[in-house]
């Protein structure tokens, strides 16, 4: 028999030290459970048992406290919004109006303002009629009373308005609504086809591959098989990011005698010129083949800068050119992952890498941009690259065959989208493109609405301007009819013109109008179900962004104003279509990148740095400039702006939401309310700073 281990006496010993404390319970509450059998003690006891009135009171008080806290949070947020409106619109504190150069957006603002005034007058008219009991809009047959039933001048005016609205205003609004819904469905089908293509690529694991070892050579130094590569870094007043971009490019893993770096500086600030030139001199001292170029005549923006650099005589010795904007930080193996694709593929003109963002989680604005750009690269660029061998060059993080650039006419200064221009001309000449979704290059997205707005204006006005210029060349080119149709119908019309047109017209114009003209109806599935489903498809490449699906939908509708305005200015060659504003950057780097850069730095980094051809006085001046640069970073203070078109649309949508209450349209009311609040936040420039 096994020995019995009884530790009851040992556990029962009182080993605690100190003064014993006796707790006496006054009015104790005991709950007695009756046991009928041996198993009764192990039966589950009902939760309702044992609860007295005092416990129930505490539970109710706790729930009430939570409810009050939620209401208090909503009230605080609403009060803060009202305070911001009062501060920005009434007291004008910290506000500068967005500049409207060369008539940019003035016509659109006048139209929106006219709609707002009309909506307010109509709302007042409808409210009076509602409280008078004239609910004719609730009758599906729209009964119009006869003259004998009229009750005064105001009633007669209301009846005349109903007749005029039903006969003359509702039909054109309904026709425009149906037209926009058809465009919406066509564009949605295009998005779905792209998503199915992306799923097929993932299912079949289709991606460009490098065959063999392209760098295998009998040369002792191992660089005999490496082609000559030119790397260009175009920049203009890039104070925040010039150091990290030059540093990343100079650390590319490529034989030094087969690589040349061109820093193409278009800065008009002499201080920044000195800093960039000193940075170039520092890397030149370390044995990097790097050249600093500065143009005296700064014409043509980035296209003019690249065109000037390609005209140098020594460029003829190079076979490929890699381009990186000032905020891009390629990994050391970038060239070894991209250049080998050109070997044994003479028809290949471009290899494009994907962008990755170091500040995608900085605030709500950067998170929403990350959703859009992830869909653009992983779905649009990848599908077009696999099935069509064509996509729009992104202007950076790509490698071109110099022969393809020269044969296609080189860089032209006729638009602000020189990257898309050269890609289309190369495609018309028969060159093929490859997109590498696995090769990522770090960069930044704009962190302020002002910078993002200017970037989007350039990205949407340039394609329409280019479409006018390229259409004759596309029609007369020797490429197949399918490729011509893809360029004209899908690349330009559907994705560059129709998308901003229906997005602005349908959700910012027609939807508010249908609240004041209920005879013209907009189905619920157009407002809610299809947009949510399409937003879900857009978020698929970035699944971590799923909680932001509703803000993403509302913000995309808000940005349709800027995109529509840019599209119109580019299509009709208005003054702002050729406006180029350098996107403001913050100069951020991820923590892992900083650690990797620190490890790659040579040990001589702590030693005194001597610049070639620099005297002691010049070095002192450089140190002063660097100190001023650091002080400028600290002293920069954000100046908020107000955007008139967004504010006018905010009040128009909020007015329409109030009107929707009269006809008891639930989904329409909530959509108009939230969309109006989003326009209000954007119009007051609160989207970046208040939602971090």
């Amino acid at each position: 028999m096994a020995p019995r281990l009884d530790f009851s006496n040992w556990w029962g010993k009182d080993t605690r030290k100190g003064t014993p404390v006796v707790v006496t319970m006054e009015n104790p509450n005991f709950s007695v459970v009756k046991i009928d059998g041996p198993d009764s003690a192990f039966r589950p006891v009902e939760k309702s048992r044992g609860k007295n009135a005092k416990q129930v009171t505490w539970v109710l008080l706790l729930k009430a406290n939570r409810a009050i806290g939620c209401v208090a949070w909503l009230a605080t947020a609403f009060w803060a919004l009202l305070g911001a409106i009062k501060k920005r619109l009434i007291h004008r504190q910290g506000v500068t109006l967005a500049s409207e150069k060369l008539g940019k957006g003035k016509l659109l603002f006048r139209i929106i303002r006219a709609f707002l005034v009309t909506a307010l007058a109509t709302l007042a008219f409808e409210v009076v009629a509602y409280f008078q009991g004239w609910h004719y809009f609730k009758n599906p047959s729209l009964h119009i009373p006869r003259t004998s039933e009229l009750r005064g001048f105001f009633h007669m005016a209301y009846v005349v308005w109903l007749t005029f609205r039903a006969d003359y205003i509702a039909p054109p609004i309904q026709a425009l609504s149906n037209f926009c819904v058809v465009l919406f469905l066509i564009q949605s089908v295009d998005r779905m086809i792209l998503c199915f293509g992306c799923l097929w690529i993932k299912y079949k694991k289709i991606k460009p591959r490098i065959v063999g070892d392209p760098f295998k050579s009998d040369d002792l130094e191992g660089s005999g098989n490496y082609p000559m590569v030119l790397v260009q870094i175009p920049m203009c007043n890039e104070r925040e990011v010039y150091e990290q971009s030059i540093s990343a490019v100079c650390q590319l893993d490529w034989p030094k005698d087969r690589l040349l770096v061109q820093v193409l500086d278009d800065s008009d600030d002499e201080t920044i010129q000195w800093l960039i030139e000193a940075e170039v001199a520092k890397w030149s001292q370390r044995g990097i083949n790097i050249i600093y170029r500065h143009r005296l005549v700064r014409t043509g923006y980035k296209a003019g800068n690249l065109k000037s650099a390609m005209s140098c005589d020594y460029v003829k010795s190079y076979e490929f050119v890699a381009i990186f904007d000032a905020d891009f930080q390629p990994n050391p193996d970038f060239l070894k992952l991209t250049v080998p694709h050109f070997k044994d593929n003479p028809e290949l003109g471009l290899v494009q890498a994907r962008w990755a963002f170091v500040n995608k989680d900085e605030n709500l604005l950067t998170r929403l941009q990350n959703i859009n750009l992830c869909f653009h690269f992983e779905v649009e660029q990848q599908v077009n690259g696999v099935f069509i061998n064509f996509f729009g060059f992104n202007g950076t993080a790509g490698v071109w065959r110099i022969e393809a650039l020269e044969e296609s006419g080189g860089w032209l200064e006729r638009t602000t989208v020189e990257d898309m221009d050269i890609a289309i001309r190369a495609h018309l000449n028969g060159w093929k493109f490859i997109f590498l979704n696995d090769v990522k290059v770090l960069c930044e997205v704009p962190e302020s609405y002002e910078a993002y707005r200017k970037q989007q204006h350039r990205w949407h006005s340039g394609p329409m301007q280019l479409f006018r210029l390229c259409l004759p060349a596309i029609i007369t080119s020797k490429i197949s009819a399918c490729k011509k149709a893809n360029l004209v119908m899908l690349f330009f019309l559907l994705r560059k013109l129709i998308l901003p047109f229906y997005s602005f017209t349908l959700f910012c114009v027609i939807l508010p109008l249908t609240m004041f003209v209920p005879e013209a109806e907009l189905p619920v599935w157009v407002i809610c179900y299809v947009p949510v489903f399409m937003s879900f498809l857009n978020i698929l490449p970035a699944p971590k962004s799923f909680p932001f699906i509703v803000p993403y939908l509302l913000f995309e509708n808000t940005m349709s104003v800027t995109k529509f305005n840019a599209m119109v200015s580019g299509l009709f060659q208005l003054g702002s279509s050729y406006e180029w504003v350098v996107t403001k950057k913050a100069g951020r780097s991820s923590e892992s990148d900083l650690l990797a850069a620190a490890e790659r730095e040579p040990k001589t980094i702590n030693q005194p740095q001597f610049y070639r051809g620099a005297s002691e006085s010049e070095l002192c001046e450089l140190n002063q400039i660097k100190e001023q640069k650091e002080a400028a970073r600290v002293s920069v203070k954000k100046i908020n702006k107000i955007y008139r078109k967004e504010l006018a649309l905010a009040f128009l949508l909020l007015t329409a939401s109030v009107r929707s209450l009269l006809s008891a349209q639930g989904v329409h009311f909530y959509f108009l309310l939230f969309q109006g609040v989003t326009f209000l936040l954007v119009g007051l420039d609160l989207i970046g700073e208040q939602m971090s």
Side-chain angles (χ1 to χ4, degrees):
M1 183 176 179
R4 181 182 178 186
L5 302 177
D6 189 0
F7 297 100
S8 57
N9 296 331
W10 183 75
W11 283 109
K13 292 181 180 180
D14 189 5
T15 57
R16 290 171 295 181
K17 297 180 180 181
T19 305
V21 178
V22 179
V23 179
T24 304
M25 298 179 60
E26 296 182 2
N27 299 325
N29 249 337
F30 296 104
S31 180
V32 181
V33 180
K34 184 179 179 181
I35 300 176
D36 297 329
D39 297 331
S40 299
F42 302 99
R43 294 174 185 171
V45 182
E46 296 180 4
K47 292 184 178 180
S48 58
R49 283 191 164 187
K51 287 185 178 180
N52 54 22
K54 188 177 294 186
Q55 290 175 328
V56 174
T57 303
W58 277 109
V59 171
L60 293 177
L61 287 175
L62 187 59
K63 292 183 177 180
N65 182 47
R66 291 178 179 176
I68 293 173
C70 181
V71 173
W73 182 84
L74 292 175
T76 303
F78 181 71
W79 187 258
L81 181 60
L82 291 179
I85 295 174
K86 181 179 179 181
K87 175 183 176 182
R88 304 284 175 85
L89 297 181
I90 301 176
H91 299 301
R92 319 292 292 175
Q93 295 179 5
V95 174
T96 57
L97 286 174
S99 60
E100 306 285 350
K101 298 181 181 179
L102 302 176
K104 171 185 170 183
K106 288 185 178 180
L107 178 61
L108 182 61
F109 172 66
R110 293 193 186 102
I111 294 173
I112 297 174
R113 187 170 56 184
F115 271 119
L116 176 60
V117 173
T118 306
L120 289 172
T122 307
L123 177 62
F125 194 59
E126 293 282 355
V127 169
V128 174
Y130 180 83
F131 285 107
Q132 292 292 332
W134 305 333
H135 302 166
Y136 299 123
F137 54 83
K138 288 187 176 181
N139 190 350
S141 60
L142 192 65
H143 168 68
I144 305 296
R146 298 181 179 181
T147 309
S148 59
E149 302 177 17
L150 297 180
R151 296 176 292 177
F153 175 78
F154 186 81
H155 189 252
M156 181 179 65
Y158 184 65
V159 172
V160 171
W161 158 245
L162 289 178
T163 307
F164 180 78
R165 187 179 75 185
D167 295 340
Y168 298 101
I169 298 180
I173 293 178
Q174 189 66 57
L176 181 60
S177 172
N178 295 337
F179 177 68
C180 290
V181 168
V182 171
L183 296 180
F184 182 29
L185 293 178
I186 293 174
Q187 198 270 338
S188 300
V189 170
D190 175 62
R191 286 290 176 101
M192 291 180 63
I193 293 174
L194 288 173
C195 290
F196 282 128
C198 183
L199 292 175
W200 180 259
I201 290 172
K202 289 186 176 296
Y203 175 71
K204 291 293 185 178
K205 297 181 180 180
I206 303 173
K207 64 179 181 179
R209 302 182 186 276
I210 302 173
V211 180
D213 186 2
F215 305 115
K216 188 175 180 180
S217 174
D218 296 332
D219 192 350
L220 294 178
E221 295 183 0
S223 63
N225 248 16
Y226 287 80
M228 300 287 286
V229 178
L230 176 68
V231 181
Q232 295 177 332
I233 313 176
M235 58 178 63
C236 180
N237 296 325
E238 305 283 3
R239 180 190 293 270
E240 294 81 10
V241 294
Y242 74 91
E243 282 183 288
Q244 61 193 35
S245 62
I246 295 176
S247 173
V249 168
C250 289
Q251 297 178 68
L252 288 172
D253 187 9
W254 202 257
K256 294 182 180 180
D257 59 330
R258 318 292 288 180
L259 181 70
L260 175 65
V261 180
Q262 282 184 322
V263 178
L264 312 177
D265 183 24
D266 257 7
S267 304
D268 54 4
D269 189 336
E270 291 186 359
T271 302
I272 301 177
Q273 294 176 25
W274 270 85
L275 291 171
I276 297 175
E277 192 171 2
E279 185 71 14
V280 170
K282 179 183 74 175
W283 286 101
S284 179
Q285 286 286 339
R286 297 179 182 179
I288 303 298
N289 294 327
I290 185 170
I291 297 175
Y292 174 82
R293 280 180 55 86
H294 183 269
R295 293 192 300 163
L296 297 178
V297 181
R298 300 171 58 250
T299 58
Y301 303 116
K302 180 180 176 181
N305 198 0
L306 294 172
K307 182 179 179 180
S308 173
M310 294 299 293
S311 64
C312 299
D313 293 334
Y314 55 81
V315 174
K316 298 177 182 178
S317 304
Y318 292 85
E319 188 176 356
F320 304 104
V321 56
I323 302 173
F324 299 100
D325 282 350
D327 60 317
F328 279 71
Q329 308 166 50
N331 290 327
D333 60 350
F334 175 83
L335 293 179
K336 289 189 175 181
L337 295 176
T338 54
V339 175
H341 289 277
F342 290 97
K343 188 178 181 181
D344 300 328
N345 196 355
E347 295 181 349
L348 183 61
L350 167 67
V351 175
Q352 172 73 60
R354 180 177 174 171
W355 300 0
F357 312 105
V358 296
N359 60 338
K360 62 182 180 180
D361 297 324
E362 186 64 26
N363 54 37
L364 179 61
L365 179 61
T366 59
R367 291 187 176 99
L368 300 181
Q369 292 179 71
N370 180 61
I371 296 173
N372 256 343
L373 291 170
C374 284
F375 182 87
H376 169 70
F377 284 108
E378 188 159 344
V379 179
E380 291 180 341
Q381 297 288 77
Q382 186 172 210
V383 171
N384 290 329
V386 170
F387 294 105
I388 305 177
N389 279 325
F390 167 75
F391 47 82
F393 175 47
N394 297 116
T396 178
V399 181
W400 276 94
R401 189 189 296 271
I402 295 180
E403 180 186 353
L405 290 177
E406 294 175 348
E407 186 180 313
S408 305
W411 300 103
L412 298 182
E413 306 168 9
R414 55 182 182 174
T415 67
T416 56
V417 284
E418 75 294 327
D419 46 5
M420 188 181 296
D421 187 3
I422 188 62
I424 291 174
R425 286 185 280 118
H427 181 57
L428 296 179
N429 284 328
W431 293 97
K432 295 182 179 180
F433 303 160
I434 284 180
F435 177 75
L436 302 178
N437 190 54
D438 297 333
V439 181
K440 300 180 181 180
V441 181
L442 289 174
C443 62
E444 290 186 20
V445 289
E447 297 182 7
S448 66
Y449 176 70
E450 178 190 2
Y452 181 61
R453 186 171 178 265
K454 291 178 179 178
Q455 182 196 70
Q456 292 300 305
H457 184 275
R458 174 164 53 87
W459 284 6
H460 286 81
S461 65
M464 286 295 97
Q465 187 181 12
L466 180 62
F467 177 62
R468 297 173 65 256
L469 299 172
C470 284
L471 184 59
I474 294 174
I475 296 175
T476 59
S477 64
K478 297 180 180 180
I479 61 176
S480 64
C482 293
K483 292 184 177 180
K484 291 181 182 180
N486 173 68
L487 277 176
V488 176
M489 302 302 297
L490 296 180
F491 187 78
F492 278 115
L493 292 182
L494 185 60
R495 297 167 188 166
K496 308 299 181 185
L497 188 147
I498 290 177
L499 177 58
F501 170 76
Y502 86 74
S503 183
F504 170 74
T505 307
L506 194 61
F507 297 106
C508 300
V509 176
I510 294 178
L511 180 58
L513 286 179
T514 56
M515 296 297 101
F516 298 98
V517 186
E519 295 83 5
E521 297 181 352
L522 200 59
V524 176
W525 58 269
V526 176
I527 302 172
C528 181
Y529 303 133
V530 176
V532 170
F533 177 70
M534 298 312 299
S535 300
F536 176 75
L537 290 182
N538 285 0
I539 287 181
L540 283 180
K544 293 182 179 180
S545 302
F546 184 78
F548 303 100
I549 184 170
V550 174
Y552 172 75
L553 173 61
L554 297 174
F555 184 70
E556 280 301 296
N557 292 335
T558 305
M559 284 305 302
S560 66
V561 183
T562 298
K563 296 176 181 179
F564 176 81
N565 184 35
M567 181 267 294
V568 172
S569 68
L571 187 62
F572 296 101
Q573 204 71 11
L574 301 181
S576 61
S577 61
Y578 200 68
E579 181 183 8
W580 181 296
V581 179
V582 178
T583 305
K584 187 177 180 181
K585 298 149 182 105
R588 300 187 186 277
S589 297
S590 62
E591 185 176 349
S592 59
D593 300 319
L594 292 174
L595 293 174
E599 291 177 358
R600 291 194 298 263
E601 285 288 333
K603 295 181 179 180
T604 57
I605 192 68
N606 295 325
Q607 298 177 2
Q609 300 176 3
F610 299 97
Y611 300 100
R612 185 179 299 172
S615 62
E616 185 176 352
S617 59
E618 290 175 340
L619 291 176
C620 294
E621 187 174 353
L622 280 175
N623 291 331
Q624 292 177 359
I625 291 174
K626 287 188 175 182
E627 292 176 0
Q628 293 174 3
K629 182 186 76 169
E630 296 298 330
R633 285 183 177 179
V634 177
S635 62
V636 169
K637 185 179 181 180
K638 184 179 184 295
I639 300 178
N640 295 99
K641 295 185 177 183
I642 60 174
Y643 300 97
R644 299 184 295 175
K645 292 190 290 293
E646 284 79 357
L647 280 179
L649 275 171
F651 294 126
L652 174 62
L653 292 169
L654 292 175
T655 303
S657 68
V658 175
R659 172 62 182 81
S660 69
L661 291 175
L662 300 181
S663 52
Q665 297 184 8
V667 175
H668 296 70
F669 166 74
Y670 289 113
F671 183 86
L672 289 167
L673 177 64
F674 293 138
Q675 190 65 71
V677 171
T678 305
F679 267 104
L680 188 61
L681 292 174
V682 171
L684 295 174
D685 197 14
L686 298 175
I687 192 70
E689 61 178 70
Q690 297 295 335
M691 297 187 179
S692 299

